[in-house]
Amino acid sequence: MSKFKEFIKYCMIAAVGGIIDLLLFIMLHTYTGIHIQIVNLVSMFTGVTTNFILNYHFNFKAHSKFFRRYFSFLTIGTAGFLVVSIAVFIFVQQLGWNAIIVKISATMFATVIQYLLNRYISFRMYRA
């Protein structure tokens, strides 16, 4: 598969995980008293796990090292989470911007960086 098609499929999968992440974020942020950073952590972890499973089976078609790849994917997802968390802290908690707009924007930025890292680290040997 060409890298461009792989990237498009990664983005489509990221959209699925992103929708799950965002809907969970909105529901928990809107309807619970849970601290926004805990809400962000729970929604991110759910989205990243969904993305890993879908990428493992449908995009990179890996057939080995599930837990090793998951740990790598989750580590990279955690780096993306940190980027989003910093954006939430600065733009929502300090500057009062709209939480949903900040979450979407920061997640889109993190997705591109995460694709590159996951492509060349988590799934670098997926065809072997």
Side-chain angles (χ1 to χ4, degrees):
M1 178 183 326
S2 77
K3 288 181 184 176
F4 180 72
K5 286 182 181 179
E6 187 178 82
F7 176 70
I8 295 301
K9 192 181 270 190
Y10 185 91
C11 288
M12 290 169 50
I13 290 170
V16 171
I19 289 168
I20 291 169
D21 179 351
L22 184 61
L23 289 175
L24 188 55
F25 179 86
I26 291 169
M27 289 188 317
L28 292 174
H29 177 65
T30 304
Y31 300 112
T32 73
I34 301 171
H35 190 276
I36 192 168
Q37 292 293 4
I38 301 299
V39 168
N40 194 33
L41 177 65
V42 169
S43 69
M44 180 281 309
F45 183 79
T46 304
V48 167
T49 299
T50 301
N51 285 347
F52 172 75
I53 292 168
L54 293 175
N55 271 297
Y56 183 87
H57 291 292
F58 301 113
N59 192 16
F60 297 110
K61 295 178 176 51
H63 300 289
S64 64
K65 304 175 185 170
F66 181 87
F67 291 106
R68 186 174 178 179
R69 293 179 196 278
Y70 178 66
F71 180 74
S72 176
F73 198 92
L74 188 58
T75 301
I76 290 167
T78 300
F81 166 74
L82 292 174
V83 168
V84 174
S85 293
I86 290 167
V88 167
F89 176 75
I90 293 169
F91 296 109
V92 177
Q93 293 178 267
Q94 300 300 312
L95 299 176
W97 291 15
N98 181 285
I100 295 165
I101 300 292
V102 170
K103 173 74 171 174
I104 291 170
S105 301
T107 300
M108 288 173 62
F109 173 76
T111 297
V112 174
I113 304 305
Q114 288 172 306
Y115 166 74
L116 294 171
L117 293 172
N118 280 313
R119 171 66 178 89
Y120 294 104
I121 296 172
S122 302
F123 291 102
R124 72 178 172 269
M125 300 293 283
Y126 68 92
R127 288 192 175 102

